[in-house]
Amino acid sequence: MLDTLRPLIDKHARLPVKADTLAAGQDLYAAGLTSFAAVQLMLALEEAFDIEFPERMLNRRSFATMESIAACIQELRPQALAS
Amino acid sequence: MSSLVARAQLVAAVAAQYSDHVDKEGRFPSEAVRAMKEARLLSAYIPREFGGEGADLAEIAEVVSVISQACASAGMTYAMHQIKVSSVISHGDKAEWHQEFMRRISSEQLLVASATTEGGIGGNLRNSICAVERLGDRFSLVKDGTVISYGRDADAILITARSAPDAPASDQVMAVLTKDQYKLELTGVWDAMGMRGTCSDNFKFSAEGDVAQILPNDFGEIAAKSMLAICHILWSAVWYGIASSAVSRAQSFVRAEARRNPGQTPPGALRVAEAANMLQLMRSNTIAGLSRFATAKVNDDDLGSVGFIVAMNNIKIGASRMVVDIINHALLITGINGYRNNTPYSVGRHMRDALSAQIMISNDRIFGNVANLLLMHRLDPSLAA
Ligand SMILES: Cc1cc2nc3c(=O)[nH]c(=O)nc-3n(C[C@H](O)[C@H](O)[C@H](O)COP(=O)(O)OP(=O)(O)OC[C@H]3O[C@@H](n4cnc5c(N)ncnc54)[C@H](O)[C@@H]3O)c2cc1C
């Protein structure tokens, strides 16, 4: 299901590396994710999956890894990453 | 030992004697800092198990404010020291090297300085150009164009750098280096409008140390979970101290007039009331920051939340704007006596010191960050703390 996520990360997270070189549980902040880019990524994910992240998900931990991002999306729209 | 506030007042009395000289000469407030060391104030925030007093942030903020009422440069020096110490307390409490360092701060009353900014990056402290180069258990580091307040008088420096030469700009670590381990090459002398005693010179910093001296958490975590909040709260306490002192001078001025002309309310009295109102807002702002931090500190998710960052940034912006407005009121009240530098009602130094608040990490830069966060975060309209 990370296959759906990776292109969005490539496009919006402004990382110096490609998302397919990153493991699901790898720390995105250490990979170069800034707080500015994290917000831009959140907005893009909301648009792509037609979801709205509730306030309780707006913290560092939710966006720390692809795995944690996927878990948030999964919770909000169980079918979104089904592929 | 007497209470922290009582000791802060002793330090303030020393600081007050020299504050005009410190300002005029642009020199380090060495008498006040010596008094802080004698009063063991430099280790007040450190947990008891490492030789300190385990004070909480509200108590430290009060010490900062009391000293800043007498000399803002001395108060800012104390605040910056505690901001650095707080990173060691919060993120080094499980690391043997840092535990020992805290014991040394306590027993030797070491003064700790900060080198987060860097030439070519400015106040965007979540980015570094320089990097830690590891070789076995040792590392070396060279940072150019960094501003280090009281760099020449510090006993240790906390410095940020990328975690490795091939790491991205935002993948940073923070290391503690002691005076015997670094070399400071002066590249720019601090001759500034205000805060002249912080001696915030520019340096090229080069050092070698043990890898164990690098704090275990990455700097992004340190900045988000303790440094940003503590920094903005303690800076606000400095500025509140400056504002209080200016209002107190304005109030004395009006009281002296009222005594000379009994039965008549002096024209400045209304403005004193207005200034007192603004001062109360400023005080509430800082106290709200302290209580918000106290709540978040015990809840990791809250501490890492967007709402918390927005709140802490707003504490800084609010305090840095209000302080200038308040001192301007004091100036309008005291008139020519406040404008002159050699009267009991002078507020020139206050104003010059306070103007640093809005550029000490540019408010525009902070507004830019908050603007981005507000694309996601919905403001909480609740009055509940
Ligand atoms: C009294 C004092 C003591 C200091 N002590 C230390 C210290 O001990 N250690 C240390 O490391 N640093 C220290 N500093 C430096 C401080 O941390 C900042 O680097 C410095 O204030 C510059 O801030 P800045 O980069 O935000 O603005 P500048 O680099 O001065 O930027 C210039 C202007 O550009 C604009 N600007 C820049 N970026 C943005 C943006 N993203 N969005 C909108 N506008 C922008 C703003 O209008 C800003 O005023 C000290 C500063 C002061 C005033």
Side-chain angles (χ1 to χ4, degrees):
Chain A
M1 74 172 173
L2 296 179
D3 295 345
T4 333
L5 218 47
R6 284 202 167 95
L8 289 162
I9 289 183
D10 278 333
K11 191 153 173 221
H12 301 282
R14 304 184 185 197
L15 300 180
V17 292
K18 297 283 281 177
D20 56 18
T21 65
L22 296 172
Q26 202 169 330
D27 188 332
L28 294 174
Y29 296 108
L33 183 67
T34 64
S35 65
F36 180 83
V39 169
Q40 298 304 314
L41 176 63
M42 287 181 208
L43 289 166
L45 293 171
E46 287 193 336
E47 182 68 14
F49 297 110
D50 192 22
I51 50 174
E52 208 170 286
F53 292 110
E55 210 53 43
R56 69 183 158 82
M57 286 185 182
L58 301 185
N59 62 45
R60 251 180 103 68
R61 208 176 48 188
S62 306
F63 286 79
T65 66
M66 286 192 281
E67 210 164 42
S68 57
I69 295 173
C72 289
I73 297 171
Q74 188 77 23
E75 187 187 327
L76 296 173
R77 258 196 72 184
Q79 298 310 309
L81 295 168
S83 64
Chain B
M1 241 184 327
S2 54
S3 78
L4 274 177
V5 175
R7 281 178 279 151
Q9 281 160 348
L10 290 178
V11 172
V14 175
Q17 281 178 49
Y18 299 97
S19 53
D20 284 332
H21 191 255
V22 161
D23 176 55
K24 201 161 203 163
E25 302 298 320
R27 69 164 179 86
F28 182 63
S30 48
E31 299 86 355
V33 172
R34 199 176 313 127
M36 290 172 202
K37 292 186 177 198
E38 279 163 12
R40 301 190 61 76
L41 286 180
L42 296 188
S43 54
Y45 202 22
I46 291 181
R48 288 178 193 278
E49 57 178 313
F50 306 122
E53 294 179 53
D56 65 22
L57 192 62
E59 292 174 295
I60 299 296
E62 179 64 9
V63 173
V64 166
S65 160
V66 166
I67 299 172
S68 301
Q69 288 168 44
C71 172
S73 290
M76 184 53 92
T77 299
Y78 186 71
M80 289 194 277
H81 164 82
Q82 296 299 6
I83 293 160
K84 293 302 106 183
V85 167
S86 74
S87 295
V88 182
I89 298 172
S90 309
H91 305 276
D93 60 335
K94 309 234 161 29
E96 212 172 301
W97 194 92
H98 298 97
Q99 292 178 343
E100 186 51 33
F101 180 60
M102 285 191 273
R103 287 193 194 95
R104 278 192 64 195
I105 296 176
S106 303
S107 62
E108 300 169 41
Q109 291 294 298
L110 301 181
L111 179 66
V112 186
S114 164
T116 50
T117 49
E118 185 172 11
I121 278 184
N124 185 8
L125 51 89
R126 283 293 287 105
N127 274 290
S128 286
I129 297 171
C130 68
V132 162
E133 297 202 34
R134 295 169 209 243
L135 196 71
D137 291 344
R138 302 280 292 168
F139 75 94
S140 63
L141 171 60
V142 178
K143 188 166 190 165
D144 213 347
T146 180
V147 179
I148 310 179
S149 293
Y150 55 94
R152 280 180 282 186
D153 293 278
D155 302 302
I157 291 176
L158 258 71
I159 188 162
T160 49
R162 285 181 300 130
S163 66
D166 58 354
S170 64
D171 179 10
Q172 297 161 290
V173 291
M174 188 175 223
V176 182
L177 287 144
T178 53
K179 204 180 181 82
D180 53 310
Q181 294 178 312
Y182 56 72
K183 200 176 82 191
L184 293 175
E185 233 173 281
L186 188 68
T187 54
V189 172
W190 181 249
D191 180 1
M193 182 193 287
M195 285 293 180
R196 293 176 52 79
T198 58
C199 299
S200 309
D201 297 327
N202 286 94
F203 296 100
K204 181 175 177 183
F205 173 101
S206 33
E208 274 180 39
D210 286 341
V211 168
Q213 294 173 238
I214 300 172
L215 280 164
N217 294 111
D218 61 75
F219 178 64
E221 183 103 354
I222 298 174
K225 292 198 171 160
S226 69
M227 204 185 90
L228 178 101
I230 293 174
C231 179
H232 288 174
I233 289 170
L234 292 187
W235 284 358
S236 299
V238 173
W239 305 328
Y240 172 72
I242 305 175
S244 307
S245 166
V247 172
S248 146
R249 288 184 178 200
Q251 199 181 7
S252 307
F253 180 81
V254 168
R255 278 165 49 81
E257 256 191 21
R259 279 197 303 268
R260 272 196 303 276
N261 306 300
Q264 266 176 295
T265 306
L270 210 65
R271 282 218 186 274
V272 170
E274 207 183 355
N277 172 256
M278 290 190 285
L279 193 64
Q280 184 172 321
L281 285 179
M282 200 179 171
R283 182 170 178 272
S284 309
N285 180 58
T286 307
I287 294 174
L290 282 164
S291 76
R292 182 75 179 80
F293 180 62
T295 315
K297 212 173 68 171
V298 292
N299 176 349
D300 221 41
D301 271 350
D302 192 19
L303 206 54
S305 72
V306 171
F308 179 69
I309 301 174
V310 169
M312 290 303 122
N313 280 325
N314 277 332
I315 302 292
K316 188 268 176 178
I317 297 208
S320 65
R321 294 178 137 197
M322 281 188 275
V323 64
V324 175
D325 216 10
I326 292 172
I327 298 168
N328 195 42
H329 269 65
L331 179 60
L332 288 172
I333 295 161
T334 53
I336 192 84
N337 287 287
Y339 196 73
R340 288 176 58 184
N341 285 327
N342 51 358
T343 83
Y345 309 114
S346 307
V347 291
R349 171 165 54 82
H350 297 70
M351 185 58 114
R352 288 183 291 101
D353 287 343
L355 284 171
S356 68
Q358 53 192 320
I359 58 115
M360 194 164 180
I361 308 297
S362 160
N363 276 2
D364 281 353
R365 184 192 291 282
I366 298 176
F367 268 135
N369 291 342
V370 173
N372 182 53
L373 296 174
L374 287 180
L375 297 175
M376 287 302 297
H377 169 63
R378 297 156 202 82
L379 294 168
D380 178 5
S382 159
L383 277 173

